[in-house]
């Protein structure tokens, strides 16, 4: 089986990936189409239209991360003969960060840390700001690879879990209740934690706005490890400014666009950094000391299945974008 890999990859990663592949897989790493293109699998997320048509043997496209860039999705819709698959190697690290943000916000960790660094022990003797999560309800918006892992963690600390997906389906062991997306407003008033783990699509952009946030109970915690614009920026800032809610946010609305700007770029048009009830991280949910290994193993597993002619997991429905 011939595979064309069109993303940037370090020599060390390439060698590690090759070592995991079946011997009958011929891997070409290049941003250019071979002179005599005959690849059955195309791996990349930044694709050019000609890459989809150059090889008459092409049958499978693997986007080597979660989600599909909008321009690529639009290209792929015009090629219904191709199957498209994602790589969910970062699901476990992202789920772990979601739980970290949830617990940090619930236990008021950052303000306590800041005070104690100044030698200030007064919070120990004041009324506690810590929220007990056990017995409370976590509503998990999106039950993909990340959402299911988040649900397992919430259940492990004694929370009740409600999962929301586009359509309700068979029960999931770690989720007490699964409901369809159109019932979101009905469950928000009992969401002590709302954890967003949905892909960003035309349907989900702005899904959580002023109305939805206002339905959450007082002292509810909003965690977003998906994409910033799923929650309306100004509405979220206003609710947090009031002090009624808390949040743990890993994904944002403004990102640096140059190497130089990485040192000084605000993540939002609004000063979230001024709020003590927000825990902020710079979109690092999928990162860990094992990320490269997880990526190599995940991609190799998909390619080895393809070489054997077995069905591949993580198929993308291009109509919905995930």
């Amino acid at each position: 089986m011939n595979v064309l890999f069109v993303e940037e990859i370090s020599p060390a990663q390439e060698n590690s990936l090759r070592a995991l592949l079946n011997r009958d897989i011929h891997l070409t790493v290049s941003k250019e189409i071979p002179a005599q293109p005959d690849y059955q699998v195309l791996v990349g997320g930044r694709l050019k239209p000609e890459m989809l048509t150059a090889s008459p043997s092409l049958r499978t496209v693997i986007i080597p991360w979660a989600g599909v860039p909008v321009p690529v999705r639009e290209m792929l819709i015009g090629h219904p003969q191709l199957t498209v698959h994602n790589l969910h190697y970062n699901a476990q690290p992202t789920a772990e960060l979601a739980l970290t943000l949830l617990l940090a916000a619930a236990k008021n960790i950052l303000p306590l840390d800041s005070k104690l660094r100044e030698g200030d022990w007064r919070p120990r003797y004041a009324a506690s700001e810590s929220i007990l999560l056990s017995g409370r309800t976590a509503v998990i918006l999106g039950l993909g690879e990340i959402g299911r892992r988040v649900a397992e963690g919430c259940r492990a600390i004694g929370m009740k879990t409600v999962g929301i997906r586009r359509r309700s389906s068979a029960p999931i062991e770690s989720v007490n209740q699964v409901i369809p997306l159109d019932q979101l407003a009905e469950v928000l008033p009992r969401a002590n934690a709302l954890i967003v783990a949905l892909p960003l699509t035309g349907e989900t952009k702005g899904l959580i706005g002023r109305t939805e946030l206002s339905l959450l109970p007082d002292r509810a915690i909003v965690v977003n490890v998906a994409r910033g614009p799923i929650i309306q920026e100004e509405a979220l800032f206003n609710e947090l400014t009031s002090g009624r809610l808390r949040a743990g946010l890993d994904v944002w609305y403004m990102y640096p666009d140059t190497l130089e700007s990485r040192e000084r770029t605000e993540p939002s048009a609004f000063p979230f950094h001024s709020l003590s009830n927000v825990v902020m991280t710079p979109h690092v949910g999928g990162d860990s000391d094992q990320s490269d290994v997880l990526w190599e193993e995940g991609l190799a597993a998909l390619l080895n299945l393809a070489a054997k002619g077995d069905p591949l997991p993580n198929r993308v429905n291009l109509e919905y974008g995930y």
Side-chain angles (χ1 to χ4, degrees):
M1 183 182 78
N2 295 326
V3 178
L4 176 61
F5 186 102
V6 297
E7 292 294 322
E8 289 189 9
I9 184 174
S10 70
Q13 274 192 303
E14 181 179 341
N15 290 335
S16 297
L17 176 60
R18 288 184 185 277
L20 295 170
L21 296 178
N22 292 346
R23 291 184 178 181
D24 57 349
I25 296 176
H26 180 262
L27 177 67
T28 299
V29 177
S30 174
K31 291 187 176 183
E32 303 300 326
I33 299 171
Q36 295 182 328
D38 185 28
Y39 45 89
Q40 291 81 46
V41 179
L42 176 62
V43 180
R46 303 170 184 86
L47 305 177
K48 300 175 183 178
E50 54 269 27
M51 293 175 177
L52 303 177
T53 58
S55 171
S57 304
L58 180 62
R59 63 175 186 269
T60 302
V61 175
I62 297 175
I63 309 293
W65 55 71
V68 183
V70 173
V72 174
R73 173 174 169 257
E74 292 173 351
M75 280 193 292
L76 288 167
I77 287 174
H79 297 273
Q81 78 280 12
L82 303 177
T83 64
V84 183
H85 303 265
N86 270 158
L87 196 61
H88 294 300
Y89 72 97
N90 59 352
Q92 184 62 33
T94 303
E96 289 182 9
L97 182 65
L99 294 168
T100 301
L101 293 172
L102 173 64
L103 289 166
K107 303 306 175 184
N108 205 36
I109 293 297
L110 294 189
L112 292 175
D113 176 90
S114 177
K115 289 290 186 183
L116 192 56
R117 286 175 187 274
E118 299 171 355
D120 187 348
W121 286 74
R122 287 176 298 175
R124 182 174 188 262
Y125 305 99
S128 177
E129 295 291 330
S130 177
I131 296 172
L132 182 66
L133 295 175
S134 181
R136 300 283 176 63
T137 298
V139 172
I140 300 154
L141 189 53
L143 284 177
E145 295 291 332
I146 296 169
R148 290 196 293 272
R149 286 171 167 83
V150 170
E152 291 172 1
C154 290
R155 284 282 294 272
I157 59 174
M159 299 190 79
K160 303 169 187 175
T161 53
V162 178
I164 300 178
R165 61 195 324 172
R166 187 168 44 83
R167 294 188 180 90
S168 59
S169 59
I172 297 174
E173 185 177 352
S174 59
V175 182
N176 295 113
Q177 181 184 8
V178 179
I179 65 172
L181 184 59
D182 59 12
Q183 294 180 20
L184 173 64
E186 299 174 24
V187 75
L188 288 177
R190 56 189 175 100
N192 304 109
L194 174 64
I195 302 167
V196 181
L198 281 172
L200 178 63
T201 68
E203 182 183 14
T204 64
K205 184 176 182 180
L207 179 66
I208 303 299
R210 183 177 61 83
T211 298
E212 289 74 23
L213 292 170
S214 70
L215 292 173
L216 293 170
D218 290 351
R219 290 163 62 85
I221 302 166
V222 177
V223 173
N224 192 359
V225 292
R227 291 292 185 270
I230 293 173
I231 305 178
Q232 294 176 22
E233 183 178 14
E234 184 173 6
L236 178 60
F237 179 77
N238 289 340
E239 279 286 358
L240 292 170
T241 300
S242 75
R244 198 178 71 82
L245 304 178
R246 300 184 187 184
L249 306 174
D250 183 49
V251 288
W252 296 95
Y253 306 92
M254 291 161 40
Y255 285 76
D257 54 9
T258 65
L259 185 62
E260 293 75 16
S261 65
R262 292 179 183 180
E263 188 175 354
R264 189 63 187 172
T265 296
E266 300 296 341
S268 168
F270 297 90
F272 283 89
H273 62 273
S274 68
L275 304 176
S276 63
N277 53 340
V278 182
V279 183
M280 303 170 58
T281 52
H283 202 152
V284 294
D287 297 343
S288 76
D289 59 348
Q290 294 297 304
S291 290
D292 286 351
V293 173
L294 293 172
W295 179 84
E296 292 155 9
E297 291 177 346
L299 180 55
L302 285 185
L303 293 175
N304 289 337
L305 285 174
K308 292 189 293 183
D310 291 343
L312 300 190
N314 309 332
R315 183 165 181 177
V316 176
N317 184 327
L318 292 174
E319 179 183 354
Y320 300 112
Y322 57 91

